[in-house]
Amino acid sequence: MPRSLFFCFSIFLLCLGGEFRLLCYAQYENWPYGESYHETEQYQAPQVPQDIPKIQLRLAGEKRKHNEGRVEVFYNGEWGTVCDDDFSIHAAQVVCRELGYVEAMSWSAASKYGRGEGRIWLDNVHCTGKEKTLAQCSSNGFGVSDCKHTEDVGVVCSDKRIPGFKFINTLTNSVENLNIQVEDVQIRAILASYRKRIPVTEGYVEVKDEGKWKQLCDVNWTQQNSRVICGMFGFPGEKRFNARVYKMFAQRKKPVYWGYSVNCTGNEVHLSSCKMGSSVLRKDNVSCERGMPVVVSCIPGRAFAPTTMSGFRKAFTQAQPLVRLKGGAIVGEGRVEVLKNGEWGTICDDNWNVISASVVCRELGFGSAKEALNGARLGQGMGPVHMNEVECSGFEKSITDCYFNKESLGCSHEEDASVRCNVPAMGFQNQLRLSGGRNPFEGRVEVLVKKNGTLKWGTVCSDSWSTMEAMVVCRQLGLGFASHAFQETWYWPGDVTADDVVMSGVKCSGTEMALSHCLHHGTDVICPKGGARFAAGVSCSESAPDLVLNPQVVEQTTYLEDRPMFMLQCAYEENCLATTANNIAANSYRRLLRFSSQIHNNGQSDFRPKAGRHAWIWHDCHRHYHSMEVFTHYDLLSLNGSKVAEGHKASFCLEDTECDEGIYKRYECANFGEQGITVGCWDTYRHDIDCQWVDITDVKPGDYIFQVVINPNYEVSESDYSNNVMKCRCRYDGHRVWMYSCHIGGSFSAETEGTFPDLLTNQLSRR
C-alpha cells in the first residue's frame, strides 16, 4: 500500500474511534472557503456577476444575540425567508460573510427564531461556501418552494466582524428595512474629565466602517437609540449631557460621519439589531449639515459606578432587591430568581426571550441582555417556580411588573430561565494572566502591579491560596469557575521575568470581580516560600457542580437513638463522637441525633472528590476508603449561634443513589469504583449509617438550631456555595426531638433569614 494511501486510511480509522474525534474535527476547523481575513488585510468588496439577482439579507425573529436570527431575503421589493431543506453550514457561511461577519458558527432548522411572514424566497439551497452572495447558490429558484414558515432557517454568526467591511446597499429603496451592518461600535470619551474614567460612560458614538472609525449624525437621533447604545455597553440607562461643550469641540475638529442614520425601538440588545435609516444628506461634501456627532451619557450600575466623589451621585440603584442571579460564572450572568411572599423562586423558560431578559439585566444595574437562556443552562434552582410565560414590553422597571400566566402549572426546574447581561468594560482582565499552562484555562497566576512608577508582572504568594481565590482569578479572566487551586507550579514554567512575588496574603470571599479587590498585604510583601515554583496557580472550567441538601428529607427522618459504646468503636476511631466519650465504660450509652441527608447536584458538571483514587484514605475499622475526609459538618447551635454539639461526615461512598428521569447513574462505590454525583442525581446518606448523626449526650433539653454544611472547606469548586448550608429549628425535650422550618441558605427573604444566625450572609465558620 502506498504510504500516502496508508496515512489517509489511518486517519479514517482514527475518525471512527470516539476518543480521536477531536483530531478529525480539527481537520475541518477552517473550511476552505477561499478568503481568510486578518487585521492587516484590506477588505475588498466581492464582485458579483451582472446576471446574479440583486438581494439584501438581514437577521430577524426572536433573536438571543445580535449576530444570530432567522435569515430573511429582500428580493423583488419584498422581504421573505429561506427554507431549511438542504441548508448546510456552507450556506450559513455565505450568509454570515454577506452580512459582514467573519464566519458562521452554526445554523438551525424548524423556525428556531420564530416563523417569518410573506414569501419563502429560497428552497433547497446548495452552497459550496465560496459564493459571494446567497443568490449565487443553486436552489429551486426565487419563490419556488413547497415549505411552510415552520421550516424557516436561522444562522449563528461569529461575534467578530470582517475587518474593513463596508455595507453595500444594492437596493437603495430597501435601506430602511435593513439591519445596521458595521465592523464595530464604541463610545469614545472626548472630554478630558471622562478620558481617565473606567468605565467610559460618555462620549461620541462611533462605528467602524471600511476600517475607519466614523461618527453618527445626531439629526433624528432619539432617546431610544441612546438606550440601546448604553445597554450594549453594560449600562442600565442614559442621562442628559452638556451639548454646548460637544458642539464647540465638533466645530474645532471636523468629524467624519457615517453615511446613514439609525432607527432603534429601544429594545434592541445591540446596534446591529437596529434598522438603518435614510442616508445622511450631503451638500458640497458636507454631511450632517444641521447637526453634530451623536453623544451618549450613560448611567453606570451601582457595582460599576465610581465613588460619589467622582461626581456620580445619580448612579443607578434598584428600589428593592426583588431579583437576583445565581449559579453564573461571571458577573452579570446566572439563573433568574425572584422574591415572592418572602421566598425566592425561579422563572419558567416558556416564552422567555431577550426582551424579558433585558428587563432583568437593567433592573440589576447591568446593560441589556446578551442572551436569554432556557433549559436550566446555568443550573437548576430550588423551591417554587414563581413566574411562567413571562411577557415584557422591555421598558418595565422590574421583571415583577411584566405580565405572566398566574394559572400555568407543571413547570419544573429543568426549565429554569437564565440570562447573560452586557456588563461595562472595566479592564480587569488586563491586570492578570495565566502563564505556562498547557491551555488558556490553566497556569501560574501573574498580576500586573506598579512598582516605582513602572508596571511590572509578578507572581502571587501561594500561602493560604485556595479555591475561593482561584474562583476570583477565573472570573476576572472570563474563564468560568475554578476547578483547582495550586500552591506549587513548578510544572508550569512562566515568564522568568515575572518570578518575583508582588502580591501576598490574598484572602477572597469568592464574589469579588478582581483579585485586587480581595484582602491582601500592601506594599510590604510577606511570602516565606517565595514565588517561582511556589507561586499560586489555577485551573479553570466553564462549568461547575452545585450541591444542595434536601431540607424536607432531614425534617422527615430525624429521630433519637441511645446506642451502647461497644457498638460505636469504629465511629469512635473516626472521631464521630463527642470528646466526653473518651473515658467512659463500654457498657454506657451515647444519645445520637440521627437523620438522613439527600444531596442533589443541581449544577452543570459532575461533583468529583478533590483527590483521585490513588490518594484516598483506607479506614480499616469500617473497611472502606474516604475520598474526602470532611464532606459535611453537622452542628447543633444555641439560638444565639454558639455551638453545643457537632458531628462530621467523611465521604466514604460518594455515589448516584437516584437520578432524575432520563439520567443514568455514572458513579458507584462498589468494587472500588469511581466516586461522584452526576448532574441531575443525588446521593443519600441514610440515617442508619455510621457517623450519620450528632452526639447530643451532653446537650440539655431546649430549643436549638440544627445546621448542615456541605463541602465546608470549599475543597471542590461549586457554582454556588451559598446554598451549601441548611438550617432547621430544633426542639429537644430530653426524650424526643422535632425538626421544623428546615431550609437552604438564601431560599427566603432577608427578614426571615435574619432570625437564623449567620444564615443571611452565609459566612461559614471553619473549624
Side-chain angles (χ1 to χ4, degrees), residues 463 527 615 643 721:
D463 284 359
C527 191
K643 191 184 302 178
Y721 287 110

Side-chain angles (χ1 to χ4, degrees), residues 418-438:
S418 308
V419 298
R420 286 196 176 108
C421 305
N422 285 311
V423 297
M426 303 296 291
F428 293 143
Q429 70 277 8
N430 301 323
Q431 303 166 7
L432 202 66
R433 70 186 182 191
L434 300 184
S435 182
R438 296 163 297 179

Side-chain angles (χ1 to χ4, degrees), residues 136-149:
Q136 274 187 295
C137 300
S138 65
S139 67
N140 294 349
F142 281 90
V144 181
S145 173
D146 58 357
C147 296
K148 298 178 181 179
H149 281 297

Side-chain angles (χ1 to χ4, degrees), residues 635-765:
D635 294 318
L636 196 65
L637 311 172
S638 65
L639 295 183
N640 66 9
S642 59
K643 191 184 302 178
V644 296
E646 67 179 40
H648 76 276
K649 187 67 178 177
S651 61
F652 76 88
C653 177
L654 204 61
E655 66 178 0
D656 298 326
T657 307
E658 297 290 340
C659 297
D660 290 330
E661 187 177 349
I663 298 177
Y664 297 98
K665 301 177 184 179
R666 296 184 60 186
Y667 302 105
E668 188 176 10
C669 298
N671 300 318
F672 195 37
E674 289 289 351
Q675 293 192 27
I677 307 176
T678 306
V679 175
C681 299
W682 56 91
D683 182 16
T684 301
Y685 278 73
R686 285 172 49 87
H687 55 82
D688 53 1
I689 295 174
D690 244 13
C691 295
Q692 186 62 31
W693 61 59
V694 176
D695 183 351
I696 62 167
T697 307
D698 308 310
V699 174
K700 297 177 181 179
D703 289 321
Y704 298 94
I705 293 172
F706 178 61
Q707 173 181 278
V708 178
V709 184
I710 310 168
N711 192 16
N713 296 333
Y714 315 113
E715 287 187 11
V716 178
S717 66
E718 296 187 45
S719 59
D720 185 1
Y721 287 110
S722 67
N723 57 17
N724 281 29
V725 60
M726 185 220 69
K727 295 199 179 189
C728 303
R729 290 288 187 181
C730 177
R731 176 163 292 176
Y732 172 49
D733 67 358
H735 306 284
R736 294 165 297 175
V737 67
W738 294 268
M739 290 283 188
Y740 59 99
S741 298
C742 294
H743 66 280
I744 300 299
S747 59
F748 288 97
S749 65
E751 291 77 16
T752 302
E753 296 195 345
T755 62
F756 286 87
D758 299 327
L759 192 57
L760 180 60
T761 57
N762 290 310
Q763 294 299 309
L764 311 180
S765 58

Side-chain angles (χ1 to χ4, degrees), residues 29 194 713:
E29 193 172 5
Y194 282 93
N713 296 333

Side-chain angles (χ1 to χ4, degrees), residues 42 120 163 283 456 459 466 605 657 723:
Q42 182 65 37
I120 297 176
K283 283 186 178 179
K456 170 182 171 60
T459 57
S466 70
S605 63
T657 307
N723 57 17

Side-chain angles (χ1 to χ4, degrees), residues 63 65-67 179-180 268-275:
K63 294 181 288 187
K65 291 197 225 175
H66 65 278
N67 54 317
N179 293 115
I180 291 171
E268 296 87 353
V269 298
H270 195 279
L271 186 67
S272 294
S273 300
C274 298
K275 303 298 180 194

